Amino acid sequence: MHLALTEALKGEGSVHPNPLVGAVLVRNGRVLAKGAHEWFGGPHAEINAFKKLKKILPGTKLYVTLEPCSHFGKTPPCAEFILKKQIKEVIAAMKDPNPLVAGRGLANLKKEGVKVKVGILEDEARNLNRHYLHWVSKKMPYVTLKMAQSLDGKIATKNGESRWISGEASRLKTQQLRKTADAILVGVNTVLKDDPQLSVRIPMEKPQGVSARQPVKIVLDAHLKTPVKSKIFSKKSGKVIIFTSKSSSIPRRSALSAHAEIIVVADKKGYLDWRQILGHLGRRGITHVLVEGGSETAASALISGIVNEVYFFIAPFFIGGKKALGALGGEGISHLSQAPRLKKWSMAKIGEDFLVHGYC
């Protein structure tokens, strides 16, 4: 099952909104073949594993990180395929909570006499697919917040300089985080100050004939200040969505609509309504959003309670100054009891920086 979980990672960044799944075929304690679901619409993990064997001998077992599907989607049901291959034992890490499956895949196998075992490395399997599981249960994407700051909590100097606060190793880790995300989200101030591309700039290996998918770019821009010449609108950067307020200029909406999809949402306590934003994204199959700031966007996300996971990169130097921008803006909290707290957090050295990682 450890091997199956590792195999599943081959689909990172390319299977959404489907889950990451790995499969391993074993006979007499020897690994015969392994497979992964590698891209959306492509063969599932079980099918890819079976393809590597010319003949299935009696006694072959299937280990799979998620319950085999039982419905027709982009591909036929895996449970039926397993039965055709006359596999007599299936070991699954966990059941699939998707209403289209929800135990029916395993039930169909049991009904036909297949021995089924569930729960091997289930915690690891759940963590692997935490984005998918959150999306299935909440109908909204899982949200990861990433920030880079100095030791005294600043994300830019008093003159607005922010490149680069984090070191090379931290920036590589950020690219790896982007690779796992369906969408990257920033506030309009980040677009105005940094003009980022918001793209994955590390290799994204894909099977021949399958193009790598860049994450959707999302900008929160209540008054539509995003310049039409911003780098996020580069043809190579992929789809752009701008969320704006009901009071935004109609002519500006028209001008930007040639470059991005404009979606109007309500205001809530001075910020665009996060629940509406995530609801829109969830309905279009976006399972994981990486929020990259800046300070106002990060603060509103944390205070609204929609952040599931955080990565704070801390550089070992000080910036100082009242006018230097802090990591979190907004009005802040009045009482310490209101402070969002991390669960299961850890700190590690990454290159010349420190990384604080945890869950909300």
Side-chain angles (χ1 to χ4, degrees):
M1 192 63 77
H2 275 297
L3 184 58
L5 289 165
T6 300
E7 187 74 6
L9 292 171
K10 289 182 178 179
E12 222 170 34
S14 57
V15 300
H16 73 267
N18 288 350
L20 296 168
V21 184
V24 177
L25 290 165
V26 177
R27 184 173 183 270
N28 295 333
R30 187 168 71 91
V31 172
L32 302 177
K34 55 186 180 179
H37 180 36
E38 297 186 29
W39 75 94
F40 180 70
H44 286 190
E46 303 93 319
I47 311 302
N48 279 331
F50 280 119
K51 279 181 179 179
K52 295 173 182 176
L53 290 181
K54 293 181 179 180
K55 185 178 181 181
I56 306 298
L57 296 175
T60 301
K61 301 177 183 180
L62 172 67
Y63 286 78
V64 63
T65 58
L66 189 69
E67 173 184 6
C69 64
S70 56
H71 64 288
F72 280 90
K74 291 283 184 180
T75 60
C78 290
E80 285 188 17
F81 192 85
I82 292 167
L83 291 172
K84 288 179 181 178
K85 293 294 182 178
Q86 298 186 330
I87 296 294
K88 297 302 181 183
E89 186 171 355
V90 173
I91 301 95
M94 61 175 290
K95 290 183 178 180
D96 188 345
N98 188 328
L100 295 173
V101 186
R104 283 188 287 274
L106 295 174
N108 290 348
L109 294 173
K110 284 182 181 180
K111 184 179 177 181
E112 298 299 325
V114 177
K115 183 180 178 181
V116 171
K117 186 184 290 185
V118 185
I120 306 299
L121 299 184
E122 181 171 355
D123 289 345
E124 290 87 341
R126 287 189 171 278
N127 184 60
L128 174 77
N129 272 314
R130 60 193 182 278
H131 310 148
Y132 167 77
L133 296 174
H134 182 89
W135 173 70
V136 166
S137 63
K138 305 292 185 182
K139 311 302 180 188
M140 295 191 295
Y142 186 96
V143 177
T144 299
L145 172 64
K146 170 262 169 182
M147 297 292 287
Q149 64 175 56
S150 63
L151 201 56
D152 56 336
K154 305 296 185 179
I155 62 172
T157 67
K158 63 181 181 180
N159 296 324
E161 183 183 347
S162 60
R163 293 185 179 180
W164 296 100
I165 286 180
S166 56
E168 187 176 343
S170 296
R171 297 198 298 275
L172 175 59
K173 179 65 176 178
T174 296
Q175 288 295 317
Q176 292 167 343
L177 286 174
R178 286 183 177 186
K179 186 178 176 180
T180 71
D182 303 340
I184 302 170
L185 183 150
V186 296
V188 65
N189 287 337
T190 296
V191 176
L192 293 173
K193 292 176 181 177
D194 298 337
D195 195 17
Q197 293 180 15
L198 301 184
S199 58
V200 179
R201 296 190 293 278
I202 57 176
M204 299 176 70
E205 295 181 6
K206 295 292 172 287
Q208 189 174 3
V210 178
S211 59
R213 291 195 293 179
Q214 284 286 344
V216 175
K217 281 71 178 168
I218 300 171
V219 181
L220 305 188
D221 186 358
H223 305 295
L224 295 181
K225 297 178 181 178
T226 302
V228 294
K229 293 185 178 180
S230 299
K231 289 180 182 176
I232 56 169
F233 297 133
S234 164
K235 291 181 180 179
K236 295 182 179 180
S237 292
K239 184 176 179 63
V240 180
I241 299 174
I242 298 177
F243 285 96
T244 191
S245 66
K246 295 178 180 178
S247 61
S248 63
S249 161
I250 301 297
R252 281 295 294 163
R253 290 186 206 175
S254 179
L256 282 170
S257 64
H259 306 275
E261 181 179 357
I262 311 298
I263 299 177
V264 177
V265 294
D267 288 295
K268 192 173 184 180
K269 296 181 179 179
Y271 294 102
L272 297 179
D273 191 323
W274 276 105
R275 299 289 168 178
Q276 284 192 22
I277 291 167
L278 296 181
H280 275 288
L281 299 177
R283 286 190 291 275
R284 38 178 85 205
I286 291 177
T287 62
H288 179 209
V289 173
L290 176 63
V291 177
E292 292 200 16
S295 64
E296 294 296 324
T297 300
S300 69
L302 281 168
I303 294 301
S304 66
I306 57 90
V307 176
N308 303 105
E309 188 172 353
V310 301
Y311 287 83
F312 268 56
F313 297 92
I314 304 172
F317 57 75
F318 304 94
I319 291 178
K322 294 180 180 179
K323 294 183 179 180
L325 192 61
L328 298 179
E331 295 182 2
I333 59 172
S334 301
H335 305 284
L336 290 177
S337 59
Q338 300 172 322
R341 291 181 180 271
L342 291 184
K343 305 168 187 174
K344 296 193 298 183
W345 65 274
S346 62
M347 175 180 276
K349 197 167 186 302
I350 178 167
E352 58 197 67
D353 303 326
F354 291 95
L355 170 60
V356 176
H357 170 237
Y359 301 88
C360 296

